[in-house]
Amino acid sequence: MNTPLIVGNWKMNGGLETNQRLLDDVRAGCSGLGRCDVAVCAPFVYLGQLQTLLTGSSVAVGAQDVSAHEGGAYTGEVSAAMLREFAIRYVIVGHSERRQHHGESDSVVASKARQALAVGITPIVCVGETLQEREAGRTEEVVRRQLAAVIHVNGHCISEIVLAYEPVWAIGTGRTAAAEQAQQVHAVLRAQLRAASAHSDRVRIVYGGSMNATNAAGLLAQPDIDGGLIGGASLKAADFLAIVAAGVGRASALR
Ligand code: 13P
């Protein structure tokens, strides 16, 4: 079984003072942790602060985006090599909020994953359908298309990614996918990865979308839900740590 992975996605939230308090609590809560990997993905400007505050802890630092280009005249962009300098372990690519508000296509997302992989940063590749797509019975087609683009560009490196299934209708809405509903999509993604690479079983497929302290254990009890990508609940230490505890619980249950 893969080590569970719980990732906080702070989105555009935070501040130097509140970050410090939150990170102190998360760091303390994760010391001596059982088998569960934990990471926090913060806005770019705070990555130096996270690097300082989390060095020597079991909590890894992640970014929320990366440029699809290697470097040069791309005002406002941050390259994978720059992230590497801040000891960044993970970077989220293809979050639905970027696809929706910044027009990121499947092929841009695939290029971002490639830039991250090229410098040894693990891309957390997000896929997920909108409510309209689900209601039209197109969930499988949509997530398979989104993943296929990333497989196409990254080929054999695909076993080095983390995949996140985030149904758009469940993000920030308090409306979580039922555990079985999420498992069904995770199983489809797992099969697609297996067909692409002999080493893909090491890819962790995490769920995101209104995951919280109450529903985490149920989601993490599913065979193909290897962890969580947590938005709102990652901004409160107690809630985030309760989800981490559910991750540790998954590891113990499936050992
Ligand atoms: P919420 O947990 O706030 O629904 O956000 C999920 C998400 O988008 C994580 O990337």
Side-chain angles (χ1 to χ4, degrees), residues 43-129:
F44 288 133
V45 288
Y46 297 133
L47 294 177
Q49 183 192 24
L50 266 72
Q51 186 191 16
T52 305
L53 294 177
L54 295 176
T55 295
S57 81
S58 55
V59 182
V61 182
Q64 297 175 10
D65 188 26
V66 65
S67 177
H69 306 283
E70 198 177 329
Y74 297 100
T75 302
E77 296 273 275
V78 173
S79 75
M82 292 170 190
L83 293 180
R84 187 71 259 177
E85 288 196 298
F86 287 84
I88 302 304
R89 249 326 275 295
Y90 301 96
V91 62
I92 298 170
V93 298
H95 193 283
S96 62
E97 287 151 14
R98 294 214 58 88
R99 293 180 191 261
Q100 191 185 338
H101 304 305
H102 301 270
E104 288 189 11
S105 64
D106 292 342
S107 85
V108 165
V109 174
S111 300
K112 291 185 170 197
R114 186 159 63 111
Q115 291 297 334
L117 288 166
V119 300
I121 294 175
T122 302
I124 301 175
V125 176
C126 300
V127 299
E129 82 287 2

XYZ file of all heavy atoms in Angstrom, residues 43-129:
640
model
N 0.761 30.224 -1.099
C 1.057 31.197 -2.165
C 2.566 31.403 -2.287
O 3.300 31.307 -1.292
C 0.370 32.469 -1.667
C -0.733 31.983 -0.772
C -0.183 30.764 -0.099
N 3.016 31.737 -3.490
C 4.460 31.872 -3.762
C 5.201 32.724 -2.729
O 6.269 32.362 -2.272
C 4.679 32.521 -5.139
C 4.350 31.628 -6.297
C 3.584 32.099 -7.357
C 4.839 30.325 -6.358
C 3.293 31.292 -8.450
C 4.551 29.501 -7.442
C 3.773 29.992 -8.492
N 4.599 33.895 -2.383
C 5.334 34.842 -1.534
C 5.629 34.289 -0.142
O 6.498 34.812 0.548
C 4.596 36.191 -1.384
C 4.655 36.973 -2.670
C 3.170 35.989 -0.905
N 4.910 33.258 0.265
C 5.131 32.705 1.604
C 6.045 31.481 1.601
O 6.316 30.910 2.659
C 3.793 32.332 2.255
C 2.880 33.512 2.482
C 1.538 33.450 2.125
C 3.365 34.693 3.047
C 0.696 34.533 2.329
C 2.525 35.785 3.250
C 1.201 35.696 2.883
O 0.375 36.772 3.085
N 6.501 31.059 0.436
C 7.256 29.802 0.395
C 8.558 29.882 1.190
O 8.974 28.907 1.814
C 7.518 29.383 -1.059
C 6.236 29.018 -1.831
C 6.562 28.677 -3.291
C 5.500 27.851 -1.175
N 9.208 31.063 1.178
C 10.442 31.232 1.962
C 10.151 31.072 3.452
O 10.894 30.421 4.184
N 9.021 31.661 3.875
C 8.620 31.547 5.282
C 8.348 30.084 5.647
O 8.779 29.597 6.697
C 7.351 32.385 5.529
C 6.900 32.383 6.982
C 5.490 32.959 7.173
O 4.664 32.965 6.263
N 5.222 33.449 8.384
N 7.668 29.374 4.769
C 7.375 27.961 5.041
C 8.659 27.143 5.097
O 8.816 26.270 5.948
C 6.428 27.384 3.976
C 4.944 27.441 4.345
C 4.414 28.851 4.295
C 4.116 26.521 3.479
N 9.553 27.454 4.176
C 10.816 26.714 4.156
C 11.526 26.882 5.505
O 12.001 25.923 6.105
C 11.704 27.214 3.013
C 12.966 26.392 2.842
C 13.963 27.056 1.899
O 13.851 28.249 1.599
N 14.935 26.302 1.453
N 11.567 28.128 5.995
C 12.233 28.404 7.280
C 11.514 27.692 8.429
O 12.140 27.027 9.251
C 12.220 29.925 7.562
O 12.820 30.570 6.448
C 12.984 30.263 8.830
N 10.186 27.815 8.469
C 9.448 27.303 9.624
C 9.290 25.781 9.620
O 9.075 25.187 10.671
C 8.063 27.956 9.708
C 8.066 29.462 10.004
C 6.653 30.021 9.987
C 8.695 29.724 11.378
N 9.401 25.167 8.458
C 9.149 23.723 8.403
C 10.409 22.886 8.222
O 10.340 21.654 8.222
C 8.139 23.398 7.285
C 6.734 23.974 7.511
C 5.826 23.699 6.321
C 6.116 23.402 8.797
N 11.551 23.542 8.089
C 12.801 22.781 7.955
C 12.965 21.876 9.171
O 12.762 22.297 10.302
C 14.011 23.748 7.850
O 13.864 24.473 6.639
C 15.322 22.995 7.806
N 13.317 20.635 8.902
C 13.547 19.692 10.001
C 12.264 19.061 10.516
O 12.300 18.231 11.422
N 11.117 19.443 9.937
C 9.861 18.829 10.377
C 9.444 17.767 9.366
O 10.068 17.623 8.320
C 8.764 19.887 10.488
O 8.209 20.154 9.226
N 8.366 17.055 9.687
C 7.896 16.027 8.757
C 6.890 16.607 7.758
O 6.289 15.872 6.985
C 7.258 14.889 9.547
O 6.244 15.421 10.374
N 6.703 17.916 7.780
C 5.743 18.543 6.868
C 6.488 19.135 5.670
O 7.385 19.967 5.836
C 4.947 19.655 7.596
C 3.914 20.275 6.666
C 4.291 19.105 8.859
N 6.126 18.685 4.478
C 6.795 19.158 3.258
C 6.135 20.448 2.768
O 4.979 20.738 3.088
C 6.717 18.090 2.175
N 6.889 21.198 1.967
C 6.382 22.462 1.434
C 6.001 22.282 -0.040
O 6.741 21.654 -0.814
C 7.450 23.572 1.556
C 6.893 24.906 1.053
C 7.917 23.710 2.997
N 4.867 22.853 -0.404
C 4.429 22.782 -1.791
C 3.990 24.143 -2.303
O 3.679 25.041 -1.519
N 3.979 24.287 -3.637
C 3.480 25.502 -4.276
C 2.135 25.175 -4.937
O 1.757 24.012 -5.050
C 4.489 26.013 -5.298
N 1.443 26.232 -5.372
C 0.099 26.026 -5.935
C 0.060 26.110 -7.451
O -0.977 25.874 -8.069
C -0.856 27.074 -5.358
C -1.022 26.967 -3.861
C -1.874 28.094 -3.306
O -2.487 28.857 -4.048
N -1.909 28.207 -2.002
N 1.210 26.468 -8.036
C 1.255 26.622 -9.490
C 2.718 26.727 -9.900
O 3.592 26.968 -9.058
C 0.491 27.890 -9.903
C 0.323 28.010 -11.409
O 0.328 26.974 -12.106
O 0.191 29.158 -11.898
N 2.980 26.534 -11.178
C 4.329 26.689 -11.723
C 4.180 27.066 -13.190
O 3.166 26.730 -13.819
C 5.141 25.377 -11.557
C 4.546 24.236 -12.380
C 6.613 25.576 -11.918
N 5.171 27.741 -13.724
C 5.098 28.109 -15.132
C 5.216 26.872 -16.035
O 5.897 25.910 -15.691
C 6.227 29.088 -15.476
O 6.189 29.379 -16.856
N 4.591 26.961 -17.189
C 4.722 25.897 -18.192
C 6.028 26.059 -18.973
O 6.375 25.217 -19.796
C 3.538 25.933 -19.140
N 6.729 27.179 -18.717
C 7.973 27.471 -19.452
C 9.178 27.319 -18.534
O 9.078 27.474 -17.325
C 7.921 28.897 -19.999
C 6.696 29.153 -20.825
N 6.565 28.703 -22.119
C 5.537 29.770 -20.513
C 5.369 29.051 -22.573
N 4.732 29.694 -21.623
N 10.326 27.109 -19.162
C 11.535 26.877 -18.366
C 12.085 28.180 -17.772
O 12.604 28.200 -16.652
C 12.587 26.215 -19.270
C 13.677 25.537 -18.491
C 14.650 24.831 -19.413
O 14.238 24.364 -20.502
O 15.829 24.765 -19.049
N 11.980 29.275 -18.522
C 12.495 30.550 -18.022
C 12.397 31.595 -19.116
O 12.000 31.286 -20.235
N 12.712 32.847 -18.774
C 12.756 33.888 -19.791
C 11.679 34.936 -19.630
O 11.252 35.247 -18.521
N 11.236 35.494 -20.765
C 10.347 36.654 -20.764
C 8.891 36.238 -20.540
O 8.074 36.219 -21.467
C 10.489 37.398 -22.089
N 8.579 35.890 -19.314
C 7.204 35.514 -18.943
C 6.849 36.249 -17.648
O 6.878 35.678 -16.555
C 7.090 33.995 -18.764
C 7.377 33.239 -20.033
C 8.622 32.650 -20.243
C 6.421 33.152 -21.044
C 8.905 31.994 -21.430
C 6.693 32.506 -22.227
C 7.930 31.922 -22.420
O 8.203 31.276 -23.590
N 6.559 37.523 -17.755
C 6.309 38.390 -16.601
C 5.268 37.785 -15.658
O 4.205 37.352 -16.102
C 5.816 39.769 -17.094
O 6.811 40.298 -17.964
C 5.587 40.728 -15.925
N 5.616 37.746 -14.396
C 4.678 37.254 -13.383
C 4.751 35.764 -13.130
O 4.127 35.271 -12.187
N 5.498 35.057 -13.960
C 5.549 33.603 -13.817
C 6.677 33.172 -12.871
O 7.647 33.910 -12.663
C 5.812 32.961 -15.180
C 4.708 33.180 -16.196
C 3.632 32.121 -16.075
O 3.793 31.047 -16.658
O 2.634 32.387 -15.384
N 6.562 31.977 -12.337
C 7.598 31.407 -11.458
C 7.977 30.042 -12.021
O 7.111 29.198 -12.277
C 7.061 31.268 -10.010
C 8.062 30.534 -9.139
C 6.763 32.652 -9.421
N 9.277 29.839 -12.244
C 9.706 28.585 -12.884
C 9.896 27.465 -11.864
O 10.068 27.713 -10.662
C 11.014 28.808 -13.643
O 12.090 28.897 -12.722
N 9.913 26.256 -12.382
C 10.138 25.086 -11.523
C 11.515 25.151 -10.869
O 11.665 24.809 -9.694
C 9.985 23.812 -12.356
N 12.520 25.627 -11.619
C 13.873 25.711 -11.052
C 13.907 26.680 -9.871
O 14.611 26.456 -8.882
C 14.862 26.158 -12.129
N 13.121 27.755 -9.945
C 13.057 28.710 -8.823
C 12.434 28.037 -7.600
O 12.896 28.203 -6.473
C 12.226 29.938 -9.215
C 12.873 30.795 -10.279
S 11.684 32.035 -10.865
C 12.578 32.675 -12.259
N 11.376 27.281 -7.838
C 10.723 26.578 -6.718
C 11.701 25.609 -6.064
O 11.754 25.476 -4.845
C 9.490 25.814 -7.216
C 8.329 26.667 -7.716
C 7.186 25.780 -8.186
C 7.835 27.611 -6.622
N 12.480 24.963 -6.895
C 13.457 23.977 -6.399
C 14.409 24.637 -5.389
O 14.822 24.028 -4.401
C 14.213 23.418 -7.606
C 15.156 22.292 -7.378
C 14.474 20.985 -7.070
N 14.507 20.702 -5.647
C 13.954 19.662 -5.058
N 13.264 18.788 -5.754
N 14.058 19.472 -3.775
N 14.735 25.906 -5.623
C 15.662 26.618 -4.727
C 15.085 26.801 -3.329
O 15.812 27.052 -2.378
C 16.013 27.991 -5.306
C 16.916 27.905 -6.512
C 17.554 29.247 -6.820
O 16.795 30.197 -7.111
O 18.775 29.325 -6.753
N 13.745 26.712 -3.224
C 13.103 26.853 -1.911
C 12.736 25.488 -1.327
O 11.891 25.399 -0.446
C 11.856 27.741 -2.029
C 12.189 29.192 -2.222
C 12.473 29.686 -3.480
C 12.258 30.057 -1.134
C 12.804 31.021 -3.664
C 12.582 31.389 -1.306
C 12.872 31.881 -2.580
N 13.407 24.454 -1.814
C 13.192 23.092 -1.306
C 11.724 22.666 -1.408
O 11.181 22.019 -0.512
C 13.683 22.984 0.141
N 11.089 23.050 -2.504
C 9.688 22.688 -2.716
C 9.593 21.218 -3.147
O 10.275 20.791 -4.073
C 9.069 23.599 -3.803
C 9.168 25.072 -3.404
C 7.643 23.197 -4.116
C 8.565 25.424 -2.085
N 8.737 20.455 -2.479
C 8.569 19.027 -2.775
C 7.466 18.777 -3.801
O 7.561 17.869 -4.636
C 8.121 18.333 -1.504
C 8.953 17.369 -0.706
C 9.898 16.466 -1.349
N 9.339 15.217 -1.840
C 8.828 14.281 -1.083
N 8.746 14.418 0.230
N 8.376 13.167 -1.618
N 6.387 19.559 -3.670
C 5.194 19.331 -4.502
C 4.740 20.638 -5.151
O 4.947 21.710 -4.596
C 4.018 18.833 -3.640
C 4.266 17.555 -2.890
C 4.684 17.565 -1.555
C 4.068 16.312 -3.501
C 4.890 16.384 -0.850
C 4.271 15.127 -2.806
C 4.682 15.168 -1.483
O 4.884 14.002 -0.798
N 4.099 20.515 -6.302
C 3.410 21.679 -6.854
C 2.080 21.211 -7.457
O 2.027 20.208 -8.169
C 4.274 22.438 -7.891
C 4.621 21.580 -9.111
C 3.558 23.707 -8.345
N 1.026 21.949 -7.104
C -0.298 21.643 -7.659
C -0.335 22.154 -9.098
O 0.070 23.300 -9.353
C -1.396 22.338 -6.826
C -1.388 21.810 -5.384
C -2.768 22.143 -7.468
C -2.285 22.615 -4.430
N -0.775 21.349 -10.025
C -0.964 21.829 -11.407
C -2.365 21.443 -11.879
O -2.883 20.388 -11.527
C 0.103 21.295 -12.408
C 1.497 21.752 -12.024
C 0.057 19.790 -12.562
N -2.970 22.337 -12.637
C -4.277 22.034 -13.223
C -5.423 22.090 -12.244
O -6.466 21.454 -12.471
N -5.255 22.838 -11.148
C -6.404 22.988 -10.245
C -7.569 23.580 -11.039
O -7.368 24.435 -11.912
C -6.028 23.891 -9.068
C -7.037 23.822 -7.966
N -8.244 24.477 -8.041
C -7.038 23.141 -6.794
C -8.945 24.205 -6.945
N -8.235 23.398 -6.167
N -8.783 23.170 -10.716
C -9.935 23.637 -11.508
C -10.082 25.155 -11.443
O -10.594 25.772 -12.383
C -11.218 22.957 -11.041
O -11.472 23.283 -9.697
N -9.617 25.759 -10.332
C -9.716 27.223 -10.254
C -8.781 27.890 -11.268
O -9.061 28.982 -11.761
C -9.409 27.687 -8.811
C -10.572 27.333 -7.884
C -10.196 27.092 -6.438
O -9.072 27.430 -6.025
O -11.050 26.541 -5.706
N -7.691 27.239 -11.590
C -6.789 27.782 -12.624
C -7.328 27.461 -14.025
O -7.226 28.256 -14.948
C -5.372 27.250 -12.444
C -4.744 27.764 -11.137
C -3.267 27.988 -11.260
N -2.927 28.917 -12.313
C -2.855 30.254 -12.169
N -3.116 30.820 -11.008
N -2.514 31.021 -13.187
N -7.892 26.280 -14.171
C -8.487 25.943 -15.472
C -9.621 26.920 -15.777
O -9.756 27.428 -16.892
C -9.026 24.500 -15.465
C -7.948 23.418 -15.361
C -8.603 22.027 -15.353
N -7.710 20.952 -15.019
C -7.123 20.138 -15.904
N -7.315 20.286 -17.192
N -6.351 19.134 -15.496
N -10.420 27.212 -14.739
C -11.612 28.043 -14.920
C -11.285 29.536 -15.041
O -11.748 30.204 -15.947
C -12.519 27.821 -13.694
C -13.904 28.385 -13.841
C -14.695 28.235 -12.532
O -14.395 27.393 -11.686
N -15.712 29.057 -12.374
N -10.473 30.054 -14.106
C -10.246 31.507 -14.075
C -9.052 31.955 -14.900
O -8.875 33.134 -15.156
C -10.045 31.996 -12.636
C -11.166 31.638 -11.714
N -12.481 31.966 -11.970
C -11.186 30.950 -10.536
C -13.251 31.510 -10.998
N -12.486 30.886 -10.125
N -8.178 31.048 -15.266
C -6.972 31.433 -16.005
C -6.858 30.694 -17.334
O -5.802 30.697 -17.954
C -5.724 31.199 -15.137
C -5.772 31.979 -13.851
N -5.274 33.260 -13.731
C -6.308 31.671 -12.642
C -5.492 33.705 -12.495
N -6.129 32.757 -11.819
N -7.934 30.035 -17.697
C -8.011 29.411 -19.019
C -6.953 28.346 -19.289
O -6.528 28.173 -20.428
N -6.529 27.645 -18.260
C -5.486 26.625 -18.490
C -6.073 25.408 -19.204
O -7.031 24.796 -18.738
C -4.853 26.207 -17.161
C -3.971 27.292 -16.596
C -3.154 26.821 -15.386
O -3.109 25.612 -15.092
O -2.569 27.704 -14.745
N -5.454 25.064 -20.320
C -5.912 23.905 -21.096
C -5.231 22.634 -20.593
O -4.258 22.694 -19.836
C -5.541 24.114 -22.557
O -4.121 24.140 -22.659
N -5.735 21.501 -21.060
C -5.099 20.219 -20.701
C -3.633 20.221 -21.088
O -2.786 19.682 -20.368
C -5.805 19.060 -21.424
C -7.225 18.840 -20.919
O -7.552 19.321 -19.816
O -8.000 18.182 -21.637
N -3.310 20.816 -22.231
C -1.913 20.739 -22.685
C -1.012 21.670 -21.871
O 0.149 21.335 -21.599
C -1.809 20.980 -24.195
O -1.750 22.334 -24.473
N -1.531 22.803 -21.431
C -0.735 23.675 -20.535
C -0.470 22.942 -19.219
O 0.644 22.960 -18.686
C -1.468 25.019 -20.290
C -0.877 25.768 -19.111
C -1.412 25.883 -21.544
N -1.497 22.288 -18.699
C -1.352 21.548 -17.439
C -0.281 20.452 -17.602
O 0.580 20.260 -16.731
C -2.712 20.936 -17.012
C -2.549 20.041 -15.794
C -3.724 22.050 -16.732
N -0.314 19.780 -18.729
C 0.680 18.723 -18.984
C 2.092 19.302 -19.037
O 3.041 18.705 -18.521
C 0.343 18.017 -20.298
N 2.242 20.494 -19.637
C 3.565 21.132 -19.710
C 4.041 21.557 -18.327
O 5.230 21.470 -18.008
C 3.535 22.370 -20.611
O 3.154 22.006 -21.905
N 3.123 22.024 -17.500
C 3.498 22.406 -16.128
C 3.991 21.181 -15.363
O 4.989 21.253 -14.640
C 2.301 23.050 -15.418
C 1.960 24.416 -15.994
C 0.861 25.122 -15.229
C 0.767 26.567 -15.738
N 0.050 27.458 -14.848
N 3.295 20.072 -15.536
C 3.736 18.834 -14.866
C 5.140 18.463 -15.349
O 6.000 18.058 -14.563
C 2.744 17.707 -15.151
N 5.370 18.649 -16.643
C 6.687 18.301 -17.202
C 7.794 19.179 -16.625
O 8.876 18.698 -16.291
C 6.660 18.437 -18.732
C 7.951 17.946 -19.389
C 7.701 17.619 -20.819
N 7.307 18.826 -21.524
C 8.041 19.442 -22.447
N 9.188 18.944 -22.799
N 7.619 20.537 -23.026
N 7.520 20.480 -16.488
C 8.523 21.387 -15.909
C 8.863 20.965 -14.480
O 10.032 20.966 -14.077
C 8.007 22.835 -15.903
C 7.869 23.468 -17.270
C 9.204 23.600 -18.004
O 10.269 23.672 -17.400
N 9.146 23.588 -19.321
N 7.847 20.595 -13.715
C 8.082 20.182 -12.323
C 8.927 18.903 -12.282
O 9.947 18.831 -11.584
C 6.749 19.970 -11.606
N 8.508 17.920 -13.072
C 9.221 16.629 -13.068
C 10.683 16.800 -13.476
O 11.566 16.120 -12.948
C 8.514 15.641 -14.016
C 7.157 15.113 -13.509
C 6.393 14.434 -14.638
C 7.352 14.152 -12.332
N 10.938 17.739 -14.391
C 12.294 17.931 -14.906
C 13.265 18.377 -13.812
O 14.471 18.145 -13.916
C 12.276 18.957 -16.045
N 12.741 19.015 -12.751
C 13.637 19.451 -11.671
C 13.437 18.631 -10.393
O 13.941 18.982 -9.334
C 13.474 20.966 -11.354
C 13.778 21.819 -12.576
C 12.090 21.273 -10.800
N 12.672 17.562 -10.491
C 12.514 16.675 -9.331
C 11.452 17.108 -8.338
O 11.456 16.682 -7.192
N 10.526 17.961 -8.779
C 9.387 18.333 -7.929
C 8.191 17.483 -8.356
O 7.952 17.295 -9.553
C 9.052 19.838 -8.080
C 10.210 20.687 -7.542
C 7.747 20.188 -7.363
C 10.031 22.192 -7.754
N 7.457 16.970 -7.383
C 6.311 16.113 -7.697
C 5.089 16.963 -8.041
O 4.595 17.704 -7.177
C 5.952 15.224 -6.482
O 7.102 14.451 -6.143
C 4.781 14.310 -6.789
N 4.595 16.873 -9.274
C 3.369 17.616 -9.577
C 2.144 16.893 -9.010
O 2.039 15.669 -9.104
C 3.332 17.630 -11.112
C 4.126 16.451 -11.546
C 5.111 16.135 -10.437
N 1.260 17.648 -8.395
C -0.035 17.099 -7.962
C -1.017 17.519 -9.046
O -1.441 18.682 -9.105
C -0.450 17.656 -6.585
C 0.612 17.302 -5.529
C -1.821 17.125 -6.173
C 0.346 17.916 -4.145
N -1.317 16.603 -9.932
C -2.117 16.907 -11.123
C -3.601 16.772 -10.781
O -4.047 15.705 -10.371
C -1.766 15.927 -12.272
C -2.661 16.185 -13.475
C -0.292 16.018 -12.642
N -4.345 17.861 -10.927
C -5.770 17.840 -10.583
C -6.636 17.569 -11.804
O -6.429 18.172 -12.864
C -6.190 19.173 -9.985
S -5.302 19.615 -8.500
N -7.589 16.682 -11.621
C -8.597 16.429 -12.654
C -9.969 16.439 -11.966
O -10.048 16.226 -10.757
C -8.382 15.066 -13.370
C -7.038 15.026 -14.071
C -8.529 13.885 -12.409
N -11.016 16.685 -12.736
C -12.347 16.660 -12.129
C -13.371 17.262 -13.053
O -13.056 18.136 -13.863
N -14.598 16.793 -12.897
C -15.684 17.231 -13.774
C -16.534 18.314 -13.110
O -16.603 18.390 -11.881
C -16.565 16.023 -14.142
C -17.615 15.614 -13.104
C -17.029 14.928 -11.859
O -15.799 14.797 -11.756
O -17.831 14.543 -10.984
